[in-house]
Amino acid sequence: MLFHEAHTARAFTDEPVTDEQVAAVYDLIKLAPTAFNSSPLRITLVRSPEAKQRLLRHVASGNQRQTAEAPVTAILAADLYFHEKLPTLVPAKPALRDSFEGDVEGRAASAKLNATLQIGYFLLGVRAAGFAAGPMSGFDAAGLDKEFFGDGRQRSLVLVNIGRPADSAFAPRQPRLSADEAVTSL
């Protein structure tokens, strides 16, 4: 289910996905590895008709139908101010927070990399919880960030439609590279 049966879902039933169900997914994935236990992933759930309309303005036309029909769409973003949580997340290193304070570019790069690691786990967590996931990068990130994160604290990385798969949810599996093509041993 997590690997061999996993597909990107493009159609969903209308069965709701609750905040509690997504919180349970987060509880499954919150131990994903991140540098310094920084945990910069932030998840914004979009489900109300009004919020979906705000979101759809920034979604590529080829992704709009599935996003409109999904019970919930998660905006997965990197918290550019993740360092503020470091005293709680790494209490043994109280000076760590201050080492990130003035390094805006380094902090943004670290937030993006580590949130991306967490995103991989999030997709597995959604599937482990019995839902289908439809991750997408086809959206106007700058426009979406202004719309939903006007304070500049977060930077969107991926949208994920989440729900129970409809009968037409999955396209046939596409080929993948073999280990010989993807792995080099030196």
Side-chain angles (χ1 to χ4, degrees):
M1 177 178 76
L2 295 179
F3 296 99
H4 295 289
E5 299 301 319
H7 283 71
T8 294
R10 292 185 171 78
F12 302 89
T13 69
D14 60 0
E15 182 180 336
V17 177
T18 68
D19 287 349
E20 294 77 19
Q21 289 168 316
V22 176
V25 168
Y26 182 77
D27 283 340
L28 284 175
I29 65 101
K30 68 183 176 184
L31 298 177
T34 58
F36 304 112
N37 194 34
S38 59
S39 305
L41 179 66
R42 300 296 178 262
I43 303 164
T44 301
L45 301 177
V46 180
R47 71 164 51 88
S48 73
E50 298 79 20
K52 282 276 188 159
Q53 285 307 309
R54 290 174 52 208
L55 177 64
L56 289 171
R57 287 195 289 261
H58 306 287
V59 174
S61 60
N63 292 331
Q64 288 187 353
R65 180 201 49 79
Q66 63 206 29
T67 302
E69 294 174 359
V72 67
T73 301
I75 303 171
L76 301 183
D79 180 356
L80 302 181
Y81 290 81
F82 70 88
H83 67 296
E84 294 174 352
K85 304 279 186 191
L86 289 176
T88 300
L89 296 171
V90 192
K93 296 186 178 187
L96 188 57
R97 178 202 183 283
D98 294 340
S99 70
F100 282 101
E101 183 65 34
D103 185 8
V104 177
E105 286 182 28
R107 199 170 68 227
S110 181
K112 181 179 179 181
L113 171 66
N114 289 288
T116 301
L117 289 171
Q118 290 181 281
I119 288 168
Y121 274 71
F122 182 81
L123 294 173
L124 290 172
V126 166
R127 291 172 175 155
F131 294 105
M136 303 172 293
S137 59
F139 64 95
D140 170 20
L144 186 142
D145 291 350
K146 185 176 179 184
E147 180 81 31
F148 287 90
F149 313 126
D151 62 3
R153 293 186 62 90
Q154 295 183 44
R155 185 167 298 149
S156 58
L157 301 172
V158 176
L159 301 179
V160 181
N161 292 323
I162 303 169
R164 303 283 181 204
D167 291 338
S168 62
F170 305 115
R173 181 171 302 285
Q174 297 294 313
R176 298 298 193 268
L177 296 176
S178 70
D180 290 340
E181 297 170 296
V183 179
T184 301
S185 182
L186 303 176

Short mmCIF file of all heavy atoms in Angstrom, two decimals, residues 125-180:
data_model
loop_
_atom_site.label_atom_id
_atom_site.label_comp_id
_atom_site.label_asym_id
_atom_site.label_seq_id
_atom_site.Cartn_x
_atom_site.Cartn_y
_atom_site.Cartn_z
N GLY A 125 2.36 8.89 5.36
CA GLY A 125 1.40 8.90 6.47
C GLY A 125 -0.03 8.96 5.99
O GLY A 125 -0.91 8.28 6.53
N VAL A 126 -0.29 9.77 4.97
CA VAL A 126 -1.64 9.86 4.40
C VAL A 126 -2.05 8.48 3.88
O VAL A 126 -3.16 8.00 4.14
CB VAL A 126 -1.69 10.92 3.27
CG1 VAL A 126 -2.96 10.80 2.43
CG2 VAL A 126 -1.57 12.32 3.86
N ARG A 127 -1.15 7.84 3.17
CA ARG A 127 -1.46 6.51 2.62
C ARG A 127 -1.59 5.47 3.72
O ARG A 127 -2.45 4.59 3.65
CB ARG A 127 -0.39 6.13 1.60
CG ARG A 127 -0.46 6.99 0.36
CD ARG A 127 0.71 6.78 -0.57
NE ARG A 127 0.53 7.55 -1.79
CZ ARG A 127 1.53 7.95 -2.56
NH1 ARG A 127 2.77 7.63 -2.25
NH2 ARG A 127 1.28 8.65 -3.65
N ALA A 128 -0.74 5.53 4.73
CA ALA A 128 -0.82 4.57 5.84
C ALA A 128 -2.14 4.71 6.59
O ALA A 128 -2.65 3.73 7.14
CB ALA A 128 0.36 4.76 6.79
N ALA A 129 -2.71 5.90 6.60
CA ALA A 129 -3.99 6.14 7.26
C ALA A 129 -5.17 5.71 6.40
O ALA A 129 -6.32 5.85 6.82
CB ALA A 129 -4.11 7.62 7.64
N GLY A 130 -4.89 5.20 5.19
CA GLY A 130 -5.95 4.69 4.33
C GLY A 130 -6.52 5.70 3.37
O GLY A 130 -7.52 5.42 2.69
N PHE A 131 -5.91 6.85 3.27
CA PHE A 131 -6.37 7.86 2.32
C PHE A 131 -5.52 7.82 1.06
O PHE A 131 -4.42 7.26 1.04
CB PHE A 131 -6.27 9.27 2.94
CG PHE A 131 -7.20 9.47 4.09
CD1 PHE A 131 -6.72 9.49 5.38
CD2 PHE A 131 -8.56 9.63 3.88
CE1 PHE A 131 -7.57 9.67 6.45
CE2 PHE A 131 -9.42 9.82 4.95
CZ PHE A 131 -8.93 9.83 6.24
N ALA A 132 -6.01 8.46 0.02
CA ALA A 132 -5.24 8.66 -1.20
C ALA A 132 -4.68 10.07 -1.16
O ALA A 132 -5.28 10.98 -0.59
CB ALA A 132 -6.12 8.46 -2.42
N ALA A 133 -3.52 10.24 -1.78
CA ALA A 133 -2.86 11.54 -1.82
C ALA A 133 -2.66 11.96 -3.27
O ALA A 133 -2.27 11.15 -4.10
CB ALA A 133 -1.51 11.48 -1.11
N GLY A 134 -2.89 13.21 -3.54
CA GLY A 134 -2.64 13.78 -4.86
C GLY A 134 -1.72 14.97 -4.74
O GLY A 134 -2.18 16.12 -4.73
N PRO A 135 -0.39 14.73 -4.63
CA PRO A 135 0.55 15.86 -4.51
C PRO A 135 0.69 16.60 -5.83
O PRO A 135 0.65 15.99 -6.90
CB PRO A 135 1.86 15.18 -4.11
CG PRO A 135 1.74 13.78 -4.59
CD PRO A 135 0.28 13.43 -4.58
N MET A 136 0.84 17.93 -5.74
CA MET A 136 0.95 18.78 -6.93
C MET A 136 1.93 19.91 -6.70
O MET A 136 1.97 20.49 -5.63
CB MET A 136 -0.41 19.41 -7.26
CG MET A 136 -1.54 18.46 -7.47
SD MET A 136 -3.10 19.36 -7.63
CE MET A 136 -3.29 20.04 -6.00
N SER A 137 2.66 20.21 -7.76
CA SER A 137 3.50 21.40 -7.73
C SER A 137 2.98 22.44 -8.72
O SER A 137 3.57 23.52 -8.83
CB SER A 137 4.96 21.05 -8.05
OG SER A 137 5.04 20.44 -9.33
N GLY A 138 1.91 22.15 -9.41
CA GLY A 138 1.36 23.06 -10.41
C GLY A 138 0.50 24.15 -9.79
O GLY A 138 -0.73 24.07 -9.79
N PHE A 139 1.17 25.16 -9.25
CA PHE A 139 0.46 26.29 -8.66
C PHE A 139 1.40 27.49 -8.60
O PHE A 139 2.62 27.33 -8.67
CB PHE A 139 -0.11 25.96 -7.28
CG PHE A 139 0.92 25.64 -6.23
CD1 PHE A 139 1.37 26.62 -5.35
CD2 PHE A 139 1.44 24.35 -6.10
CE1 PHE A 139 2.31 26.32 -4.38
CE2 PHE A 139 2.39 24.05 -5.14
CZ PHE A 139 2.82 25.03 -4.27
N ASP A 140 0.84 28.66 -8.47
CA ASP A 140 1.60 29.90 -8.36
C ASP A 140 1.97 30.09 -6.89
O ASP A 140 1.15 30.57 -6.10
CB ASP A 140 0.76 31.06 -8.88
CG ASP A 140 1.37 32.42 -8.58
OD1 ASP A 140 2.59 32.50 -8.31
OD2 ASP A 140 0.61 33.41 -8.61
N ALA A 141 3.17 29.66 -6.53
CA ALA A 141 3.59 29.67 -5.13
C ALA A 141 3.62 31.09 -4.56
O ALA A 141 3.16 31.32 -3.44
CB ALA A 141 4.95 29.00 -4.98
N ALA A 142 4.13 32.04 -5.31
CA ALA A 142 4.21 33.42 -4.80
C ALA A 142 2.82 33.98 -4.54
O ALA A 142 2.58 34.60 -3.50
CB ALA A 142 4.97 34.30 -5.79
N GLY A 143 1.90 33.75 -5.47
CA GLY A 143 0.53 34.22 -5.27
C GLY A 143 -0.16 33.53 -4.12
O GLY A 143 -0.85 34.16 -3.31
N LEU A 144 0.04 32.22 -4.02
CA LEU A 144 -0.57 31.46 -2.93
C LEU A 144 0.00 31.91 -1.58
O LEU A 144 -0.75 32.09 -0.62
CB LEU A 144 -0.31 29.97 -3.14
CG LEU A 144 -1.01 29.03 -2.16
CD1 LEU A 144 -1.49 27.79 -2.88
CD2 LEU A 144 -0.07 28.65 -1.06
N ASP A 145 1.31 32.11 -1.53
CA ASP A 145 1.93 32.56 -0.28
C ASP A 145 1.37 33.92 0.15
O ASP A 145 1.10 34.13 1.34
CB ASP A 145 3.44 32.63 -0.42
CG ASP A 145 4.09 31.27 -0.56
OD1 ASP A 145 3.39 30.24 -0.35
OD2 ASP A 145 5.29 31.22 -0.89
N LYS A 146 1.19 34.81 -0.79
CA LYS A 146 0.63 36.13 -0.46
C LYS A 146 -0.81 35.99 0.02
O LYS A 146 -1.22 36.64 0.98
CB LYS A 146 0.71 37.05 -1.68
CG LYS A 146 0.28 38.46 -1.40
CD LYS A 146 0.48 39.35 -2.61
CE LYS A 146 0.02 40.75 -2.31
NZ LYS A 146 0.11 41.61 -3.49
N GLU A 147 -1.56 35.11 -0.63
CA GLU A 147 -2.97 34.89 -0.29
C GLU A 147 -3.14 34.29 1.09
O GLU A 147 -4.00 34.71 1.87
CB GLU A 147 -3.60 33.97 -1.33
CG GLU A 147 -5.06 33.66 -1.11
CD GLU A 147 -5.99 34.75 -1.59
OE1 GLU A 147 -5.66 35.46 -2.57
OE2 GLU A 147 -7.06 34.91 -0.98
N PHE A 148 -2.34 33.27 1.41
CA PHE A 148 -2.53 32.53 2.65
C PHE A 148 -1.52 32.85 3.74
O PHE A 148 -1.81 32.65 4.92
CB PHE A 148 -2.50 31.01 2.36
CG PHE A 148 -3.74 30.52 1.68
CD1 PHE A 148 -3.81 30.50 0.29
CD2 PHE A 148 -4.84 30.11 2.40
CE1 PHE A 148 -4.95 30.06 -0.36
CE2 PHE A 148 -5.99 29.66 1.77
CZ PHE A 148 -6.05 29.64 0.38
N PHE A 149 -0.34 33.31 3.37
CA PHE A 149 0.72 33.57 4.35
C PHE A 149 1.25 34.98 4.16
O PHE A 149 2.45 35.19 3.96
CB PHE A 149 1.86 32.55 4.19
CG PHE A 149 1.43 31.13 4.09
CD1 PHE A 149 1.84 30.34 3.02
CD2 PHE A 149 0.60 30.57 5.04
CE1 PHE A 149 1.45 29.01 2.93
CE2 PHE A 149 0.19 29.24 4.95
CZ PHE A 149 0.62 28.46 3.88
N GLY A 150 0.41 35.94 4.23
CA GLY A 150 0.77 37.33 3.96
C GLY A 150 1.88 37.87 4.84
O GLY A 150 2.55 38.83 4.48
N ASP A 151 2.12 37.23 5.99
CA ASP A 151 3.15 37.72 6.89
C ASP A 151 4.56 37.28 6.49
O ASP A 151 5.54 37.68 7.10
CB ASP A 151 2.86 37.31 8.33
CG ASP A 151 2.86 35.79 8.53
OD1 ASP A 151 3.12 35.03 7.57
OD2 ASP A 151 2.57 35.36 9.67
N GLY A 152 4.68 36.43 5.45
CA GLY A 152 5.98 36.00 4.95
C GLY A 152 6.67 34.95 5.80
O GLY A 152 7.82 34.60 5.54
N ARG A 153 5.98 34.41 6.77
CA ARG A 153 6.60 33.41 7.65
C ARG A 153 6.70 32.03 7.00
O ARG A 153 7.52 31.23 7.39
CB ARG A 153 5.81 33.28 8.95
CG ARG A 153 5.88 34.53 9.82
CD ARG A 153 5.22 34.31 11.15
NE ARG A 153 5.87 33.26 11.91
CZ ARG A 153 6.89 33.47 12.78
NH1 ARG A 153 7.35 34.68 12.97
NH2 ARG A 153 7.42 32.46 13.42
N GLN A 154 5.81 31.77 6.04
CA GLN A 154 5.80 30.45 5.42
C GLN A 154 5.97 30.56 3.92
O GLN A 154 5.54 31.54 3.32
CB GLN A 154 4.49 29.72 5.73
CG GLN A 154 4.31 29.41 7.20
CD GLN A 154 3.04 28.63 7.47
OE1 GLN A 154 2.72 27.70 6.74
NE2 GLN A 154 2.33 29.01 8.51
N ARG A 155 6.55 29.51 3.34
CA ARG A 155 6.73 29.42 1.90
C ARG A 155 6.16 28.07 1.45
O ARG A 155 6.63 27.02 1.89
CB ARG A 155 8.19 29.55 1.52
CG ARG A 155 8.40 29.59 0.01
CD ARG A 155 9.81 30.02 -0.36
NE ARG A 155 10.06 31.37 0.12
CZ ARG A 155 11.25 31.82 0.48
NH1 ARG A 155 12.30 31.03 0.42
NH2 ARG A 155 11.41 33.05 0.88
N SER A 156 5.15 28.12 0.59
CA SER A 156 4.50 26.88 0.13
C SER A 156 5.44 26.08 -0.75
O SER A 156 6.21 26.64 -1.54
CB SER A 156 3.20 27.20 -0.61
OG SER A 156 3.46 28.04 -1.72
N LEU A 157 5.37 24.75 -0.61
CA LEU A 157 6.23 23.86 -1.37
C LEU A 157 5.41 22.90 -2.24
O LEU A 157 5.77 22.66 -3.39
CB LEU A 157 7.12 23.04 -0.43
CG LEU A 157 8.05 23.86 0.47
CD1 LEU A 157 8.74 22.96 1.49
CD2 LEU A 157 9.07 24.60 -0.37
N VAL A 158 4.35 22.35 -1.70
CA VAL A 158 3.54 21.35 -2.39
C VAL A 158 2.10 21.47 -1.92
O VAL A 158 1.85 21.79 -0.76
CB VAL A 158 4.06 19.91 -2.07
CG1 VAL A 158 3.18 18.84 -2.69
CG2 VAL A 158 5.49 19.73 -2.51
N LEU A 159 1.17 21.20 -2.82
CA LEU A 159 -0.23 21.03 -2.46
C LEU A 159 -0.53 19.54 -2.50
O LEU A 159 -0.05 18.84 -3.39
CB LEU A 159 -1.16 21.75 -3.44
CG LEU A 159 -0.97 23.25 -3.62
CD1 LEU A 159 -1.94 23.78 -4.66
CD2 LEU A 159 -1.15 23.96 -2.29
N VAL A 160 -1.33 19.05 -1.55
CA VAL A 160 -1.71 17.64 -1.54
C VAL A 160 -3.21 17.54 -1.34
O VAL A 160 -3.73 17.94 -0.29
CB VAL A 160 -0.98 16.85 -0.44
CG1 VAL A 160 -1.39 15.37 -0.49
CG2 VAL A 160 0.52 16.98 -0.56
N ASN A 161 -3.90 17.03 -2.36
CA ASN A 161 -5.31 16.70 -2.21
C ASN A 161 -5.39 15.39 -1.44
O ASN A 161 -4.63 14.46 -1.72
CB ASN A 161 -5.99 16.57 -3.58
CG ASN A 161 -6.07 17.90 -4.29
OD1 ASN A 161 -6.30 18.92 -3.67
ND2 ASN A 161 -5.87 17.88 -5.59
N ILE A 162 -6.31 15.32 -0.49
CA ILE A 162 -6.42 14.15 0.38
C ILE A 162 -7.87 13.70 0.45
O ILE A 162 -8.78 14.52 0.61
CB ILE A 162 -5.93 14.47 1.81
CG1 ILE A 162 -4.50 15.00 1.79
CG2 ILE A 162 -6.05 13.25 2.73
CD1 ILE A 162 -4.04 15.59 3.11
N GLY A 163 -8.07 12.39 0.34
CA GLY A 163 -9.41 11.84 0.49
C GLY A 163 -9.43 10.36 0.18
O GLY A 163 -8.40 9.74 -0.04
N ARG A 164 -10.64 9.82 0.15
CA ARG A 164 -10.83 8.44 -0.27
C ARG A 164 -10.87 8.44 -1.79
O ARG A 164 -11.53 9.29 -2.41
CB ARG A 164 -12.13 7.87 0.28
CG ARG A 164 -12.24 7.93 1.78
CD ARG A 164 -11.43 6.87 2.46
NE ARG A 164 -11.63 6.98 3.91
CZ ARG A 164 -10.78 6.55 4.79
NH1 ARG A 164 -9.67 5.95 4.41
NH2 ARG A 164 -11.01 6.68 6.08
N PRO A 165 -10.17 7.52 -2.43
CA PRO A 165 -10.11 7.55 -3.90
C PRO A 165 -11.44 7.16 -4.54
O PRO A 165 -12.10 6.23 -4.11
CB PRO A 165 -9.02 6.52 -4.22
CG PRO A 165 -9.02 5.59 -3.06
CD PRO A 165 -9.40 6.42 -1.86
N ALA A 166 -11.82 7.91 -5.57
CA ALA A 166 -12.97 7.55 -6.40
C ALA A 166 -12.54 6.43 -7.35
O ALA A 166 -11.35 6.14 -7.50
CB ALA A 166 -13.44 8.77 -7.19
N ASP A 167 -13.51 5.81 -7.99
CA ASP A 167 -13.19 4.71 -8.92
C ASP A 167 -12.24 5.16 -10.03
O ASP A 167 -11.43 4.37 -10.51
CB ASP A 167 -14.47 4.14 -9.54
CG ASP A 167 -15.32 3.40 -8.52
OD1 ASP A 167 -14.77 2.96 -7.48
OD2 ASP A 167 -16.53 3.26 -8.75
N SER A 168 -12.31 6.42 -10.41
CA SER A 168 -11.48 6.93 -11.50
C SER A 168 -10.23 7.66 -11.00
O SER A 168 -9.62 8.43 -11.73
CB SER A 168 -12.31 7.90 -12.35
OG SER A 168 -12.73 9.00 -11.55
N ALA A 169 -9.82 7.39 -9.76
CA ALA A 169 -8.75 8.16 -9.12
C ALA A 169 -7.38 7.98 -9.75
O ALA A 169 -6.58 8.92 -9.77
CB ALA A 169 -8.66 7.81 -7.64
N PHE A 170 -7.10 6.78 -10.28
CA PHE A 170 -5.72 6.48 -10.63
C PHE A 170 -5.54 6.22 -12.12
O PHE A 170 -6.31 5.49 -12.73
CB PHE A 170 -5.25 5.25 -9.84
CG PHE A 170 -5.42 5.39 -8.36
CD1 PHE A 170 -6.30 4.57 -7.67
CD2 PHE A 170 -4.71 6.35 -7.65
CE1 PHE A 170 -6.46 4.70 -6.30
CE2 PHE A 170 -4.87 6.49 -6.28
CZ PHE A 170 -5.75 5.66 -5.60
N ALA A 171 -4.49 6.79 -12.67
CA ALA A 171 -4.08 6.50 -14.04
C ALA A 171 -3.19 5.25 -13.99
O ALA A 171 -2.66 4.90 -12.94
CB ALA A 171 -3.29 7.68 -14.62
N PRO A 172 -2.99 4.59 -15.13
CA PRO A 172 -2.09 3.43 -15.11
C PRO A 172 -0.69 3.85 -14.66
O PRO A 172 -0.24 4.97 -14.91
CB PRO A 172 -2.07 2.99 -16.58
CG PRO A 172 -3.33 3.53 -17.16
CD PRO A 172 -3.61 4.81 -16.43
N ARG A 173 -0.02 2.94 -13.99
CA ARG A 173 1.33 3.22 -13.48
C ARG A 173 2.28 3.46 -14.65
O ARG A 173 2.28 2.73 -15.63
CB ARG A 173 1.84 2.06 -12.65
CG ARG A 173 3.24 2.38 -12.10
CD ARG A 173 3.75 1.40 -11.08
NE ARG A 173 2.91 1.25 -9.91
CZ ARG A 173 2.81 2.13 -8.92
NH1 ARG A 173 3.47 3.27 -8.98
NH2 ARG A 173 2.04 1.90 -7.89
N GLN A 174 3.09 4.49 -14.52
CA GLN A 174 4.11 4.81 -15.50
C GLN A 174 5.40 4.06 -15.17
O GLN A 174 5.63 3.67 -14.03
CB GLN A 174 4.38 6.32 -15.51
CG GLN A 174 3.17 7.15 -15.91
CD GLN A 174 2.77 6.92 -17.34
OE1 GLN A 174 3.60 6.92 -18.24
NE2 GLN A 174 1.48 6.67 -17.57
N PRO A 175 6.28 3.87 -16.17
CA PRO A 175 7.55 3.16 -15.91
C PRO A 175 8.42 3.93 -14.93
O PRO A 175 8.29 5.14 -14.77
CB PRO A 175 8.22 3.11 -17.28
CG PRO A 175 7.19 3.50 -18.27
CD PRO A 175 6.13 4.27 -17.56
N ARG A 176 9.31 3.21 -14.29
CA ARG A 176 10.30 3.79 -13.39
C ARG A 176 11.68 3.35 -13.84
O ARG A 176 11.84 2.37 -14.55
CB ARG A 176 10.07 3.32 -11.94
CG ARG A 176 8.74 3.71 -11.32
CD ARG A 176 8.58 5.22 -11.25
NE ARG A 176 7.48 5.64 -10.40
CZ ARG A 176 6.25 5.88 -10.84
NH1 ARG A 176 5.95 5.71 -12.10
NH2 ARG A 176 5.32 6.29 -10.00
N LEU A 177 12.69 4.07 -13.41
CA LEU A 177 14.07 3.68 -13.69
C LEU A 177 14.41 2.43 -12.88
O LEU A 177 13.94 2.25 -11.76
CB LEU A 177 15.03 4.79 -13.31
CG LEU A 177 14.91 6.11 -14.09
CD1 LEU A 177 15.88 7.14 -13.54
CD2 LEU A 177 15.16 5.88 -15.57
N SER A 178 15.28 1.61 -13.44
CA SER A 178 15.78 0.45 -12.71
C SER A 178 16.89 0.91 -11.77
O SER A 178 17.43 2.01 -11.91
CB SER A 178 16.32 -0.60 -13.67
OG SER A 178 17.52 -0.12 -14.28
N ALA A 179 17.26 0.05 -10.84
CA ALA A 179 18.36 0.36 -9.94
C ALA A 179 19.65 0.60 -10.72
O ALA A 179 20.45 1.48 -10.36
CB ALA A 179 18.55 -0.75 -8.91
N ASP A 180 19.84 -0.16 -11.80
CA ASP A 180 21.04 0.03 -12.62
C ASP A 180 21.10 1.43 -13.23
O ASP A 180 22.18 1.98 -13.44
CB ASP A 180 21.10 -1.01 -13.75
CG ASP A 180 21.38 -2.41 -13.25
OD1 ASP A 180 21.91 -2.55 -12.12
OD2 ASP A 180 21.07 -3.36 -13.98
#
